[in-house]
Amino acid sequence: MPRDAEQERLTVAGREVAISNPNKVLFPEGGYTKLDLARYYAAVAEGALRGAGGRPNVLVRYPNGVGGEFFFQKRAPQARPPWIEVVTLRFPSGRSAEEVVPRDAAALVWMANLACLELHPHPVRTDDLDHPDELRVDLDPVPGVTWPQIQEVAGVVRATLADVGLVGWPKTSGSRGVHIYVRIERRWTFDEVRAAALALAREVERRAPGLATSKWWKEERHGVFIDYNQNAKDRTIASAYSVRPTPDARVSSPLTWDEIAACDPADFTLATMPARVARIGDRHAEIDNHAGSLLALLELSARQTAEGLGDAPWPPHYRKQPGEAPRVAPSRRRAPSHPLIEIGRAREKSDALAGLERWKARHPDAATHLTPADVLVDALRGRHRTWTRVRVNLQHVPADLRPTQEPLDPDENMGDEWTGVSKRGVSQTGRPRRTPARARKES
């Protein structure tokens, strides 16, 4: 029997879990295999379950490793052990799905066997699916922003949370940013938690206007974007101890506030994290003892509304909300505030970025004026996978050097995952439109 068809059986939490194709390499650069991933989650299970345990989880699967296609799986596989718990979630679209609820280390190892690199829990517990117990602050740097600026914005978030009586628990995102989790009392709806998160984002922007932004549209952002929409219902982000799909198998690492000032996110990987946990334990071990109230943030939200700040845009597949401004990107308004052109769309990000390089070669004079933040790389997520769209903001290019819109390169049809998309991949509104039964977008 070929070695890659073998199974490895791990005994975890009193259960035997089979790892199929244990030597399949998921991270070519480091040579980390599926078995390495399973052993990692067994080693960090206590902390990982503190973040993702007892919650419905979306399965984000990388069956062919970080260089291959991945897909989102809301519905728990039909073929699963009887001890894998599921719970039925209902989504804004009106659909529902049974999602996996990990309760012990064995469940995490079973998920690893499905090549689930990341843990993507919803911010609710299974005994109350309508009231989140967590507010999530996602600090997402625009291209060109360096780690020191992210550290500085994290400090502003910490001070702002303290002023409204809340305790933040920071962690690296495992990519370029920082996540700050805030345990809250289970008294408020998803919409109320999102309103509180928006108020917080706007207050941080007010305190650090040159460093942070709450602006939803990419062409309006600068510095570090505080993604308030991560608190909308049906949104998930990688939780603590999640392995991220980076070449070095980077991990989303819980931190103390003091560690933010000194750490390098690249220090936390699948290979290094188990030793850190064995040495110092889980930096978020006390998180559940600090559930706070959102009343102060909701009062701040009311004051911001009274001052003329209405609701901010929601993700594109959500219904238009009461009080929400017209959901039209600034570059697509009748009087556009930003000169954007679209370069191309592709199934693979590398193909879309190759199209950008070809565009730069055709327009070298314009390309020299672009800043990193002028290149907008969007993940357009359908029902199961992502497509990549590349756009360019020509705001820093002199008007006489600005190229006009050209045929997309690459120009890949996004298939039946989207409706309202032409053969060229551009909808009437300039963004993909969702059918109720199909598309979703996650950060």
Side-chain angles (χ1 to χ4, degrees):
M1 179 181 294
R3 182 169 178 77
D4 63 0
E6 295 176 356
Q7 284 190 348
E8 183 89 15
R9 294 187 175 273
L10 301 181
T11 300
V12 186
R15 305 183 190 278
E16 191 176 76
V17 185
I19 307 300
S20 60
N21 299 328
N23 297 298
K24 173 177 277 189
V25 175
L26 300 180
F27 295 88
E29 184 174 292
Y32 304 126
T33 65
K34 191 197 288 189
L35 183 58
D36 293 327
L37 180 69
R39 286 174 171 163
Y40 165 80
Y41 275 116
V44 302
E46 181 180 355
L49 289 167
R50 189 168 285 115
R55 304 174 184 275
N57 279 246
V58 175
L59 305 179
V60 187
R61 301 177 61 179
Y62 292 76
N64 296 308
V66 296
E69 290 190 4
F70 67 96
F71 61 94
F72 295 87
Q73 182 174 339
K74 287 185 177 182
R75 289 174 171 78
Q78 291 295 321
R80 60 180 185 266
W83 46 266
I84 290 293
E85 183 179 336
V86 297
V87 69
T88 300
L89 274 187
R90 302 191 185 282
F91 306 115
S93 65
R95 297 162 54 233
S96 64
E98 285 189 334
E99 294 198 5
V100 170
V101 180
R103 291 285 186 184
D104 58 18
L108 297 180
V109 171
W110 176 81
M111 292 165 69
N113 182 55
L114 298 178
C116 294
L117 304 186
E118 305 169 296
L119 303 174
H120 268 256
H122 293 265
V124 291
R125 308 278 184 173
T126 56
D127 60 340
D128 187 349
L129 298 175
D130 296 319
H131 298 93
D133 71 335
E134 195 167 73
L135 182 149
R136 297 169 174 178
V137 184
D138 181 3
L139 303 185
D140 184 9
V142 305
V145 169
T146 58
W147 179 241
Q149 184 168 337
I150 302 167
Q151 293 168 306
E152 193 170 352
V153 173
V156 179
V157 173
R158 181 189 187 185
T160 306
L161 288 172
D163 288 346
V164 293
L166 294 171
V167 179
W169 300 82
K171 66 183 185 69
T172 62
S173 70
S175 182
R176 298 180 58 238
V178 163
H179 298 156
I180 301 165
Y181 283 7
V182 182
R183 286 289 196 267
I184 58 175
E185 300 165 359
R186 293 194 285 180
R187 299 168 48 192
W188 294 279
T189 65
F190 277 93
D191 287 358
E192 290 170 324
V193 175
R194 178 189 172 277
L198 174 58
L200 174 69
R202 285 171 165 170
E203 176 61 15
V204 172
E205 181 179 28
R206 186 190 68 79
R207 296 185 183 196
L211 300 175
T213 181
S214 64
K215 301 296 187 295
W216 173 252
W217 302 111
K218 281 191 174 182
E219 55 263 46
E220 293 186 320
R221 296 179 192 170
H222 67 274
V224 178
F225 170 52
I226 307 165
D227 191 353
Y228 58 90
N229 269 330
Q230 295 292 19
N231 295 275
K233 188 172 184 179
D234 196 24
R235 301 279 284 200
T236 63
I237 56 178
S239 65
Y241 298 97
S242 286
V243 180
R244 304 307 304 276
T246 59
D248 57 353
R250 202 167 293 189
V251 169
S252 180
S253 175
L255 303 170
T256 65
W257 284 107
D258 290 340
E259 283 180 312
I260 285 184
C263 78
D264 180 344
D267 293 338
F268 311 115
T269 69
L270 180 151
T272 65
M273 200 66 183
R276 170 179 164 88
V277 172
R279 185 177 71 255
I280 64 173
D282 179 18
R283 291 302 199 192
H284 289 184
E286 299 298 317
I287 189 171
D288 290 322
N289 297 330
H290 295 272
S293 170
L294 289 183
L295 289 178
L297 276 180
L298 292 174
E299 290 171 359
L300 175 60
S301 175
R303 292 198 299 273
Q304 291 172 347
T305 300
E307 293 166 0
L309 289 175
D311 196 4
W314 286 64
H317 65 285
Y318 285 73
R319 290 190 180 93
K320 186 74 162 52
Q321 303 294 315
E324 182 185 359
R327 199 181 293 175
V328 181
S331 59
R332 297 191 178 278
R333 295 169 185 164
R334 290 184 177 180
S337 58
H338 294 275
L340 259 70
I341 59 174
E342 185 167 354
I343 305 302
R345 298 188 184 194
R347 289 173 61 90
E348 301 300 330
K349 183 177 180 180
S350 59
D351 293 338
L353 293 177
L356 172 65
E357 293 307 312
R358 291 190 291 271
W359 181 89
K360 288 181 177 180
R362 293 195 301 274
H363 305 287
D365 293 339
T368 60
H369 292 278
L370 298 179
T371 69
D374 289 334
V375 178
L376 310 180
V377 181
D378 306 313
L380 304 179
R381 297 191 173 171
R383 185 176 180 183
H384 298 300
R385 58 154 294 123
T386 62
W387 298 72
T388 297
R389 174 180 65 181
V390 176
R391 297 175 295 159
V392 170
N393 191 340
L394 301 174
Q395 61 183 335
H396 295 115
V397 178
D400 60 338
L401 295 180
R402 291 177 182 173
T404 58
Q405 179 68 55
E406 300 173 346
L408 300 188
D409 172 29
D411 183 5
E412 296 186 9
N413 193 325
M414 294 169 62
D416 65 358
E417 293 215 4
W418 302 93
T419 59
V421 180
S422 70
K423 182 178 180 181
R424 182 163 293 176
V426 182
S427 71
Q428 295 295 320
T429 61
R431 65 172 187 265
R433 289 199 294 258
R434 183 187 65 84
T435 62
R438 288 187 174 174
R440 74 188 291 262
K441 180 178 183 292
E442 296 180 40
S443 149

